[in-house]
Each structure stands twice: as structure tokens, then as C-alpha cells.
Amino acid sequence: NAWAVAIGQTSPFLGASAAGGPAPIARLLGFADHGGLFEGTTASVASQNLLANGLTVTLGARLQGEQAQRSGLNWTPQATSQAASIEAGLSRQFDRVSFGASVAAIQEANGRLGDVDTGLFGLNGPAHTLALQADMALALTEATSLSARLSHASVAAQTGGRASLVTSMSRTEATAFAVNLAHRDWLAAGDHVDLAIGTPLTSGSGNMSLLLATGADPETGAPIMTRRAGSLASKTPERRLEAVYTRPMGADAALAVAVMAREDADGIAGKQDQALMIRYQTSF
């Protein structure tokens, strides 16, 4: 049995990838789980317990404070709202394959699926989300694994906040998936390379109702209000490609090179995003 507390990042037990027997564990599936709703200020606590017959039970919670801006790997500033979750997971390890499933109850204040909704687009009360996640890992060889993750989140309906243009927001369903190929001892003994493709959590259904001023009364000048509805389903889901290569640089140091490319980034048609990161890590 083990437990971990983390501040500024998620506990390693929450959202952990399944292990494909003796093969390396996938490192790039995180963008396809509900953890994408939480950002840099996240604190978490989790415990992991090994039961009979190879079953592992994970219990945990996350708490994120509100912040004005964040800078992700693509250096795009964005506000984040306060959020909290309670999570539970169950996994089973076989000889060369493993399966896992988890459920999370998430509450976001002034936000919905990671987006901040305030002012003219404010919503009444917190957003309540139920998220489900399934994982699979297969050892192709002792040095190569193939892993996959599928996530689904359902957000309850909400009404518009005071002085908001939004009158209501229907129940919203969102999905994400990722596939990760991992290999070790590729160019040098002890190195590790991962290649992943997928789509982060993306809304696939739901509607938003707005009350907008579409004109003015010619006699009194009073605004003419019209109710309009818009779909929350993304027509151009983001497609993401990530790769990371890590190479040991002695007994206590490692060098990592990571690249990321996003097509239709953030669900915006035609928007492209690329990033490169180099990290050197050592211990004393």
C-alpha cells in the first residue's frame, strides 16, 4: 500500500497509465483524461492499495485554486477557475496486458469543462461533472508497449448567472482518446521514447441559450431582446501529436526532448500550434 500528497502537480497515482507487463509504461496519455480540467495550481492526495488477484484500488482527491492566467506548453495565457474532485479507480494486471477504469465527481466554480465563465457569460452555481475513464496497456515485447485511453465526461445543465446573457446551458457530453507507443533501449541503454496521438476532452453535444439585444424600439429606444440558441458541440476537434525522448546522462542525470503539434488547436478550425521543450534533470 502507498499514498502520495502533491502540490503544484497531480499525484502520480491519479490518472496513472496502466502497465503492460514488463514493457515500459506510457508517459503521454495525460492530455486525454479529465485531469485536463486541472492546471498548475492543483493540489492532490491519493492512496493506492494492492488487493488479491492482482487488483489495485486507487482513491484520491484534487483541489485547484482560482488564478488569473496560466501558461501551458503552447504559452497561451488562460484563466482557470476553482475546481475539486473525488476519484476512485480499479485496475488489474495480467501477464502481458492490463486494464483499468476510474470514475471522478468534479465540481467547478465559475467554469465548465475547464473554461472560465464569468461576467456576460456567467453561469448560476458550480458545474457538476461525472467523468469516466478506461485504460489498456499491452506489452508487444519486453521493450515495447502499446497503450490506449478513452475518457468521457458528462456536465449537468445550468442556468445563466445574474446579469448574464446566458439563460441556460444544457447537459454537455465530452470525450477524449489517446494512443501511446513506448519503447526503451532505442538509441542507448536506458533511454525511453514515447509517441502519442489523440484528442483532448472535447464537447460533442449540448446547447447554450442566449438572450441578446437585436434592435431598439423606434419610439422608446428600449432594446428588443431575442432568444438565440447555439450548439456546444465542436465541429473541429483538436488533433494532437506528442513525442518525448529521454536519455540518461550518467547515474543521476537525464536529458529529455519533447515536441508537440496540434491541428485545429482548442477546437478552432485551421489553428496550428507547435512546441519544443528540452529539459535536463539531475539529483544531488
Side-chain angles (χ1 to χ4, degrees), residues 75 111-112 161 176 204 221 239 280:
W75 309 109
R112 188 179 175 91
R239 299 179 301 279
Y280 178 79

Side-chain angles (χ1 to χ4, degrees), residues 118-123 160-167 211:
T118 58
L120 295 178
F121 294 94
L123 299 173
R162 188 174 182 181
S164 173
L165 297 177
V166 180
T167 59
L211 191 61

Side-chain angles (χ1 to χ4, degrees), residues 221-238:
I224 298 175
M225 306 301 291
T226 305
R227 192 178 300 275
R228 298 286 175 85
S231 174
L232 298 175
S234 175
K235 296 180 180 179
T236 54
E238 176 183 313

Side-chain angles (χ1 to χ4, degrees), residues 169-230:
M169 193 89 74
S170 72
R171 176 175 292 276
T172 306
E173 308 291 335
T175 57
F177 79 93
V179 178
N180 187 118
L181 181 67
H183 185 76
R184 65 168 171 248
D185 302 330
W186 180 39
L187 300 178
D191 69 0
H192 192 130
V193 61
D194 286 83
L195 178 65
I197 59 173
T199 296
L201 206 58
T202 304
S203 176
S205 68
N207 292 283
M208 176 173 59
S209 181
L210 300 168
L211 191 61
L212 303 174
T214 56
D217 187 288
E219 295 183 0
T220 65
I224 298 175
M225 306 301 291
T226 305
R227 192 178 300 275
R228 298 286 175 85

Side-chain angles (χ1 to χ4, degrees), residues 33-283:
D33 65 25
H34 63 271
L37 305 181
F38 297 87
E39 291 301 332
T41 58
T42 300
S44 62
V45 59
S47 67
Q48 198 168 68
N49 302 286
L50 180 62
L51 305 180
N53 301 321
L55 289 173
T56 300
V57 175
T58 302
L59 301 173
R62 311 188 207 209
L63 177 63
Q64 173 181 279
E66 184 177 0
Q67 58 182 18
Q69 290 183 330
R70 77 169 189 262
S71 294
L73 187 58
N74 60 339
W75 309 109
T76 302
Q78 182 174 336
T80 60
S81 64
Q82 185 177 6
S85 71
I86 298 176
E87 308 179 28
L90 182 66
S91 62
R92 174 71 185 272
Q93 174 75 54
F94 296 92
D95 183 27
R96 303 185 66 86
V97 65
S98 62
F99 299 94
S102 63
V103 59
I106 306 169
Q107 179 175 291
E108 297 175 84
N110 300 320
R112 188 179 175 91
L113 283 176
D115 290 330
V116 176
D117 302 306
T118 58
L120 295 178
F121 294 94
L123 299 173
N124 185 28
H128 296 281
T129 300
L130 180 65
L132 304 174
Q133 179 178 301
D135 284 270
M136 182 277 293
L138 172 66
L140 301 177
T141 68
E142 290 193 358
T144 307
S145 67
L146 182 65
S147 305
R149 173 167 294 170
L150 178 64
S151 300
H152 181 82
S154 179
V155 192
Q158 290 177 270
T159 57
R162 188 174 182 181
S164 173
L165 297 177
V166 180
T167 59
S168 65
M169 193 89 74
S170 72
R171 176 175 292 276
T172 306
E173 308 291 335
T175 57
F177 79 93
V179 178
N180 187 118
L181 181 67
H183 185 76
R184 65 168 171 248
D185 302 330
W186 180 39
L187 300 178
D191 69 0
H192 192 130
V193 61
D194 286 83
L195 178 65
I197 59 173
T199 296
L201 206 58
T202 304
S203 176
S205 68
N207 292 283
M208 176 173 59
S209 181
L210 300 168
L211 191 61
L212 303 174
T214 56
D217 187 288
E219 295 183 0
T220 65
I224 298 175
M225 306 301 291
T226 305
R227 192 178 300 275
R228 298 286 175 85
S231 174
L232 298 175
S234 175
K235 296 180 180 179
T236 54
E238 176 183 313
R239 299 179 301 279
R240 183 178 298 196
L241 171 67
E242 292 189 19
V244 173
Y245 176 73
T246 303
R247 182 167 182 160
M249 304 294 289
D252 301 312
L255 179 68
V257 179
V259 295
M260 179 182 70
R262 303 194 300 161
E263 294 289 334
D264 297 332
D266 301 320
I268 302 174
K271 180 181 177 181
Q272 296 186 356
D273 224 354
Q274 297 85 32
L276 169 66
M277 181 180 71
I278 300 175
R279 182 179 67 181
Y280 178 79
Q281 182 175 342
T282 187
S283 59

